[in-house]
Amino acid sequence: MIKKIIPVRGLVVATLVATLSLFIACKGKESKTAKKQFNLYIWSAYITDETVKKFETQTGIQVRYDTYDSNEALLEKLQSGVTEYDLVVPSDYMARILIHQGLLLELDHSKLPGAANLSSRFRNLPFDKDNKHTIPFLWGTTGIGYNKTKVTEPVDSWSILWNPKYKDRISLLDDPREVFGAALKWKGHSINTKDQKELEEARNLLIQLKPIVKTFTSGSFDEVLLSGDVWLSHGWSGQLAKAIDQNKDLAYVVPKEGSTIWVDNMAIPKGAQHLEEAYAFMNFCLNPEIAAEITNISGYPSPNEAATKFIKPEILKDPARYPDDKTLASCEFLEDLGETSTLLDRYWTEIKSR
Amino acid sequence: MRTRKLSRWFLFSESSFVYLFLYAPIVILVIYSFNSSRYAIWEGFSWKWYEILLKDQLILRSLKNTLIVALTATIASTVVGTIAALGMQRFEFRGKGVLDGLFYLPVIIPEIVMAASLVIFFGFIRFKLGLATVILAHIAFCISYVIIVVRARLEGFDRTLEEASMDLGANELQTFFRVTLPVIAPGIISGALLAFTISIDDYIITSFVAGVGSTTLPLQIYSMVKTKVTPEINAISTLLLIPTILLIVISDRLQREEK
């Protein structure tokens, strides 16, 4: 007849016990909030447990932190209105959007003495005048990573990407602003131009470029360079610098005509519950030695001028990470294009679909 | 004769190709998890990524969260789903068809729609995002799967068995535990296993409703993909394969016991 397959009663009891114990375990954790703590939401690989532990022992504040993979993920979280993060790290263009939507708190600079350590180059940036809402954390540039053994002529200008000799050996970022930026800069225009003629010229250049490009990628532009599939790779400095550490045949250059510079910033979301702790953590990260530690571990350059003497000399000397002043002077931050971005998106679709 | 041979050969090669198509990427992933280089170029065998993995606090924390969420959601959704399935099978009432359809909805609607609606809902009732919201969301979509599986099992259930047991003097509870439950148990366990696996690898809904300290393994892996520690991801994926294969074997065994 019916075979008893499993000891049914035992299973039911076990289930109930497990449910109850899990419930109690969850509850127990929540009720002990007598300790000072705060919640951090940050890019993965920007901070290590080691650095966080240092902060905890110094201040007695406990840090609970989660990591995200894109600015858009951060935006979605803050827009939900029910997160409990006290400190976030948006990139420049996302900081602008967050400020615009009223999602960031105005900072009280009297609580941020550490901000004095920031280099003047990274203060008062276009997306946040007077650093009302944001404090720079790490930065980088956009440029060309290339394989020295395969690319015979000197790489110092955006024009190299248009060289038919390297057909199917070129990868571009999958990002309309960055790719248009390359074409605009080559022709001596600003990456933030709203001039129809200049944009149209860039569009025509990119239509010419499209057939010789192997791939558009914002994620694995370093991998295709390392694997040898691509010899010229349009990408962001941090990842390309790490690729160069792996393979000495590779190099990185910010073209002489100039490029994009980007910066990721600390900011406090509106409605944060642990303000004192968040300010304490910001000051901690602005401490020169800690800022240097963050740069030494992550490999991304620091906007902290006072930190310079603690940063490993090989990082400071690395032109992929720290371009010289002349190069930096020719770099621009991406600004909001307003109405023009619709036109740019249309051009982008047109180019990509060819 | 010849055609039979041909068709056999064709079927054999075709199915080998399908297996290759399905499993080659996974095999390559496992191999690369032992690559000493950070990039997709083979540079020699090493356990390095597994060592890094076991020291990685974020990964360990996210693994713990994943297990808490998956276990809680599985238990809760199995209990609730089984009761719902029994109720739907036993009773006739007005609007039953509509209710029935509603149970299937979470399986059918795009995940992104469910994710967005959950966030808006939690925002509306001012419920802070965290481990609790992740568990609630997982229970919500797991229930449907459990109901579908358990109801399929109930379809073949002979109600006269229950009547017989009542006639022989068992009360309702005894009947349920001694007759009904043993018969539908394999269905319940299949449903629970399905709920567990779906919960463990859910990304979209979880990414929307996760809050402070509730990052699960899929979320963690995804945020690492952007910053390129690929071999570490290969190593986690390889480790995740082991319990998955075990679960498949267990559920296969259960199916066979029935036969």
Side-chain angles (χ1 to χ4, degrees):
Chain A
M1 271 280 290
I2 304 157
K3 236 186 21 196
K4 263 213 171 169
I5 301 171
I6 18 193
V8 171
R9 197 175 301 174
L11 224 116
V12 173
V13 172
T15 309
L16 283 174
V17 170
T19 321
L20 271 174
S21 54
L22 265 173
F23 194 73
I24 290 162
C26 287
K27 270 272 164 283
K29 262 218 313 274
E30 297 300 312
S31 59
K32 281 194 298 228
T33 45
K35 252 188 174 162
K36 282 209 291 186
Q37 58 169 34
F38 94 107
N39 306 315
L40 168 68
Y41 202 34
I42 189 167
W43 292 90
S44 54
Y46 264 25
I47 199 148
T48 57
D49 272 335
E50 206 183 327
T51 313
V52 169
K53 282 216 172 64
K54 224 179 241 182
F55 172 75
E56 287 177 335
T57 46
Q58 264 183 34
T59 59
I61 299 168
Q62 260 203 312
V63 184
R64 291 201 294 176
Y65 74 106
D66 297 293
T67 58
Y68 52 86
D69 52 4
S70 71
N71 280 301
E72 288 66 28
L74 169 65
L75 177 67
E76 181 269 318
K77 276 282 167 284
L78 294 185
Q79 279 180 331
S80 78
V82 276
T83 45
E84 296 176 279
Y85 290 112
D86 306 303
L87 193 62
V88 294
V89 187
S91 301
D92 38 40
Y93 77 95
M94 187 51 69
R96 177 185 294 108
I97 293 171
L98 293 174
I99 293 166
H100 192 75
Q101 297 195 357
L103 291 168
L104 298 183
L105 198 73
E106 266 197 43
L107 298 174
D108 177 351
H109 278 264
S110 69
K111 290 186 177 144
L112 287 169
N117 295 329
L118 289 171
S119 139
S120 57
R121 188 195 301 286
F122 292 98
R123 285 188 217 185
N124 195 11
L125 294 170
F127 59 88
D128 185 24
K129 289 274 179 260
D130 303 325
N131 292 80
K132 260 203 196 110
H133 305 85
T134 64
I135 296 289
F137 184 72
L138 290 173
W139 64 276
T141 53
T142 308
I144 302 172
Y146 61 99
N147 191 322
K148 287 185 285 194
T149 58
K150 306 280 187 198
V151 180
T152 42
E153 52 266 275
V155 180
D156 63 349
S157 154
W158 288 114
S159 61
I160 188 96
L161 296 177
W162 275 263
N163 187 333
K165 203 165 121 189
Y166 301 111
K167 184 175 177 352
D168 284 338
R169 295 292 182 185
I170 298 168
S171 82
L172 294 183
L173 283 169
D174 192 5
D175 183 312
R177 292 296 309 274
E178 293 282 16
V179 172
F180 266 84
L184 288 165
K185 277 291 190 187
W186 179 29
K187 291 299 167 194
H189 310 310
S190 158
I191 53 175
N192 298 312
T193 183
K194 292 183 181 175
D195 183 307
Q196 300 277 351
K197 259 218 219 56
E198 292 175 1
L199 284 167
E200 198 157 335
E201 182 191 11
R203 181 196 71 150
N204 295 338
L205 282 172
L206 294 171
I207 287 172
Q208 279 172 39
L209 179 57
K210 177 78 200 313
I212 66 168
V213 172
K214 186 177 173 74
T215 175
F216 286 85
T217 167
S218 297
S220 55
F221 53 85
D222 51 344
E223 301 232 347
V224 288
L225 192 63
L226 272 158
S227 66
D229 292 328
V230 155
W231 301 340
L232 289 159
S233 171
H234 178 218
W236 290 302
S237 58
Q239 266 164 267
L240 288 169
K242 278 186 186 155
I244 296 166
D245 291 345
Q246 282 269 315
N247 179 350
K248 291 296 169 226
D249 291 340
L250 305 180
Y252 173 83
V253 66
V254 177
K256 61 174 189 249
E257 301 93 352
S259 180
T260 314
I261 179 171
W262 51 263
V263 61
D264 288 351
N265 318 272
M266 297 185 277
I268 301 180
K270 268 203 185 131
Q273 295 295 309
H274 308 94
L275 288 181
E276 292 310 311
E277 291 83 353
Y279 279 117
F281 189 79
M282 280 171 132
N283 280 318
F284 172 78
C285 291
L286 286 164
N287 170 329
E289 289 183 43
I290 300 298
E293 180 178 307
I294 291 169
T295 286
N296 287 336
I297 295 173
S298 70
Y300 287 92
S302 176
N304 194 315
E305 197 152 24
T308 313
K309 58 177 180 288
F310 303 108
I311 293 172
K312 286 182 192 158
E314 64 263 34
I315 291 182
L316 284 175
K317 280 208 251 12
D318 181 356
R321 292 184 166 106
Y322 280 92
D324 58 52
D325 284 352
K326 191 170 140 287
T327 311
L328 272 186
S330 63
C331 289
E332 299 173 85
F333 284 96
L334 287 170
E335 286 172 26
D336 189 9
L337 290 185
E339 294 298 300
T340 313
S341 51
T342 327
L343 177 73
L344 203 70
D345 281 343
R346 205 181 69 225
Y347 282 166
W348 181 243
T349 315
E350 203 183 322
I351 293 158
K352 288 275 301 262
S353 59
R354 271 172 184 263
Chain B
M1 237 20 241
R2 270 203 65 159
T3 48
R4 269 194 53 191
K5 248 199 176 137
L6 257 178
S7 71
R8 259 188 63 178
W9 177 86
F10 171 77
L11 282 175
F12 174 78
S13 57
E14 194 265 355
S15 54
S16 334
F17 179 76
V18 170
Y19 274 109
L20 187 74
F21 189 79
L22 285 174
Y23 289 104
I26 298 178
V27 171
I28 287 167
L29 173 118
V30 172
I31 292 169
Y32 269 115
S33 74
F34 296 105
N35 183 7
S36 60
S37 159
R38 173 182 287 270
Y39 295 91
I41 315 155
W42 184 258
E43 279 187 9
F45 184 92
S46 122
W47 285 100
K48 153 167 104 171
W49 303 109
Y50 289 88
E51 282 161 24
I52 291 173
L53 192 64
L54 293 175
K55 281 202 222 79
D56 192 328
Q57 286 304 318
L58 282 178
I59 293 278
L60 295 177
R61 206 174 317 158
S62 66
L63 180 65
K64 196 180 97 188
N65 282 340
T66 300
L67 290 176
I68 291 174
V69 170
L71 282 171
T72 320
T74 301
I75 291 165
S77 64
T78 306
V79 173
V80 175
T82 304
I83 293 169
L86 282 167
M88 295 300 280
Q89 183 231 8
R90 255 146 231 243
F91 305 105
E92 288 300 329
F93 48 88
R94 270 175 53 171
K96 184 175 160 179
V98 177
L99 265 185
D100 223 10
L102 283 177
F103 277 135
Y104 286 78
L105 209 56
V107 176
I108 297 162
I109 55 168
E111 227 187 316
I112 193 86
V113 174
M114 188 154 171
S117 66
L118 281 163
V119 172
I120 294 165
F121 173 74
F122 288 132
F124 179 72
I125 61 170
R126 309 303 301 155
F127 196 115
K128 288 285 184 204
L129 299 182
L131 206 56
T133 51
V134 175
I135 290 173
L136 287 171
H138 279 230
I139 292 173
F141 66 75
C142 284
I143 284 179
S144 298
Y145 288 97
V146 173
I147 291 177
I148 291 170
V149 175
V150 175
R151 284 203 70 181
R153 178 78 195 171
L154 279 169
E155 288 301 311
F157 181 62
D158 188 355
R159 291 290 303 274
T160 53
L161 287 174
E162 284 178 343
E163 284 159 22
S165 120
M166 301 278 221
D167 287 343
L168 292 168
N171 62 23
E172 283 201 30
L173 261 184
Q174 283 171 316
T175 303
F176 176 74
F177 280 112
R178 300 248 172 123
V179 178
T180 318
L181 202 55
V183 174
I184 61 169
I188 295 175
I189 291 176
S190 306
L193 287 176
L194 185 65
F196 189 76
T197 43
I198 288 171
S199 165
I200 271 196
D201 70 18
D202 179 77
Y203 173 77
I204 298 174
I205 290 177
T206 313
S207 74
F208 273 70
V209 298
V212 175
S214 63
T215 304
T216 62
L217 201 52
L219 264 56
Q220 193 60 44
I221 291 175
Y222 214 83
S223 77
M224 284 165 57
V225 169
K226 284 282 189 337
T227 45
K228 288 286 166 273
V229 245
T230 23
E232 208 180 336
I233 294 166
N234 298 345
I236 310 168
S237 310
T238 306
L239 291 180
L240 270 180
L241 279 174
I242 299 165
T244 314
I245 292 168
L246 272 178
L247 283 178
I248 293 169
V249 171
I250 292 170
S251 88
D252 188 58
R253 275 285 161 79
L254 282 172
Q255 303 279 342
R256 251 188 254 168
E257 294 240 2
E258 287 173 61
K259 289 184 189 127

